[in-house]
Amino acid sequence: MDSLMSYFSSLNPLNLLNSMPGAIAQGIIWGIMALGVYITFRILDVADLSVDGTFATGGAVTVMLRLAGMPIWSCLLIAVLAGVIAGVITGFLHTKLGIPAILAGILTQLGLYSINLSIMDMSANKSFNYGETGLYVTLGKIPQSIIVAAIFAAAIVILLYWYFGTEQGSALRATGSNHSMSSAQGINISTMKVIGLALSNGIVALSGGLFAQYQGNADVNMGRGAIVIGLAAVIIGEVLGMAFLGKRLNFVGKLVFVIVGGIVYYIVLSIVLWLKLDSNFLKLFSAIIVAIFLAIPYLKSQSKNSFKKAKKKGEKQDA
């Protein structure tokens, strides 16, 4: 009992409060990555595991080009192009070589590990120059990082909302909804899948470039588990979106709530760390968080079905 009281007395609410801005900044950055995951997971209905590698590619390209003296905006732009190329490769493996999407993503991710090492001159980690001041987001300026990351997120949401309203964007959404019907309407399914994967991985690489700036370095393993975080943000965002807006949740609302999902995910992780739980189990906690939010819609639907069955049974008995 004394040890329990000692544990709770050691928890300082101010420490948790002070960690919130950093959690929000990281949540927005990873929420941008989750937008890329949303495109493949929800819109295209393709399981793309290449994002773990693409995220690190975005960070590696951003850091190395900045070290070479290029302006940060061009570093991010080229990082996006690198991500697009990675997505095209995944799409080519899947559509032209007949490799299942999940395996094509794994192959791309595996190949990107070596490519990322090559980009960073065969070093597992590369940092920005000491005292670097030209970065958009940094750990030392969290309020600025939140604002800049939010601007990037808002711009991407607006662009995606516009794009998926175009003829090509509508064709891409139709491809994910019903392959057979889309093909019957004359839509090139293979092309749409390649475009979707390229767009998704380009956004993921942008997020990787921003995160490398935030933490001050790029690491070859920085994207490990990115797909889990992305899925967590998507699922959490969907659950929250349906809870707050219900049937009024439109497409742009879903995109916004993906970002919110990323923020909530990192706030939960901050609470876990604040509770002084073993950080070695952080991946386990992440998996549990994802599992809980994945289960919520199912359990909710089951409870509704059970209520309906009980209601019908009661009506029959009354009759």
Side-chain angles (χ1 to χ4, degrees):
M1 187 66 180
D2 291 338
S3 60
L4 190 61
M5 292 297 294
S6 176
Y7 166 72
F8 281 110
S9 63
S10 67
L11 299 177
N12 188 349
L14 287 177
N15 292 337
L16 177 61
L17 190 62
N18 291 333
S19 69
M20 286 298 102
I24 292 171
Q26 290 188 73
I28 297 174
I29 293 172
W30 283 91
I32 292 173
M33 188 276 298
L35 287 174
V37 174
Y38 181 84
I39 292 172
T40 53
F41 181 62
R42 284 303 189 211
I43 296 178
L44 201 57
D45 195 24
V46 170
D48 179 27
L49 298 184
S50 64
V51 296
D52 286 25
T54 311
F55 188 83
T57 300
V61 170
T62 301
V63 172
M64 295 307 292
L65 291 179
R66 183 60 179 172
L67 290 176
M70 294 185 66
I72 196 66
W73 66 266
S74 61
C75 298
L76 286 175
L77 179 60
I78 296 174
V80 171
L81 293 176
V84 168
I85 293 171
V88 169
I89 292 172
T90 302
F92 176 82
L93 293 173
H94 174 50
T95 61
K96 301 301 180 184
L97 300 184
I99 300 173
I102 191 168
L103 293 179
I106 291 173
L107 289 173
T108 303
Q109 177 193 139
L110 188 65
L112 283 175
Y113 185 88
S114 297
I115 292 173
N116 293 337
L117 282 174
S118 299
I119 292 173
M120 296 190 291
D121 294 333
M122 302 312 292
S123 174
N125 186 286
K126 281 287 185 179
S127 301
F128 289 100
N129 290 323
Y130 179 76
E132 174 67 64
T133 58
L135 305 180
Y136 291 149
V137 291
T138 61
L139 188 57
K141 298 179 179 179
I142 293 180
Q144 172 188 311
S145 299
I146 293 175
I147 294 171
V148 173
I151 291 172
F152 270 97
I156 293 170
V157 167
I158 292 170
L159 288 173
L160 288 178
Y161 180 69
W162 166 80
Y163 172 72
F164 283 107
T166 64
E167 183 177 350
Q168 187 182 85
S170 298
L172 202 156
R173 294 173 71 177
T175 298
S177 298
N178 192 318
H179 291 186
S180 301
M181 183 62 71
S182 300
S183 181
Q185 294 295 322
I187 298 174
N188 190 319
I189 304 299
S190 296
T191 300
M192 289 300 105
K193 286 184 176 181
V194 173
I195 291 174
L197 287 164
L199 179 61
S200 169
N201 282 276
I203 294 173
V204 171
L206 172 63
S207 175
L210 291 172
F211 188 69
Q213 293 178 58
Y214 182 79
Q215 67 179 5
N217 65 82
D219 190 279
V220 72
N221 292 313
M222 64 185 285
R224 182 174 294 177
I227 185 64
V228 175
I229 298 175
L231 289 174
V234 171
I235 300 303
I236 293 171
E238 288 179 342
V239 171
L240 294 177
M242 288 302 297
F244 284 102
L245 299 178
K247 294 182 179 180
R248 291 176 294 146
L249 183 64
N250 56 17
F251 182 65
V252 69
K254 291 178 181 179
L255 296 178
V256 171
F257 270 100
V258 168
I259 303 294
V260 174
I263 296 172
V264 172
Y265 175 83
Y266 265 90
I267 288 176
V268 172
L269 283 189
S270 294
I271 294 173
V272 169
L273 294 174
W274 175 70
L275 291 172
K276 298 182 179 180
L277 300 179
D278 193 342
S279 60
N280 291 323
F281 292 97
L282 203 56
K283 296 295 183 183
L284 175 61
F285 296 139
S286 300
I288 292 172
I289 293 169
V290 176
I292 291 172
F293 278 93
L294 277 171
I296 287 174
Y298 173 77
L299 295 175
K300 191 175 180 180
S301 64
Q302 288 294 100
S303 64
K304 286 183 178 179
N305 291 336
S306 299
F307 179 76
K308 286 180 180 179
K309 289 179 181 178
K311 185 179 179 182
K312 287 181 180 179
K313 187 175 180 181
E315 289 174 350
K316 287 181 180 179
Q317 288 177 349
D318 293 339

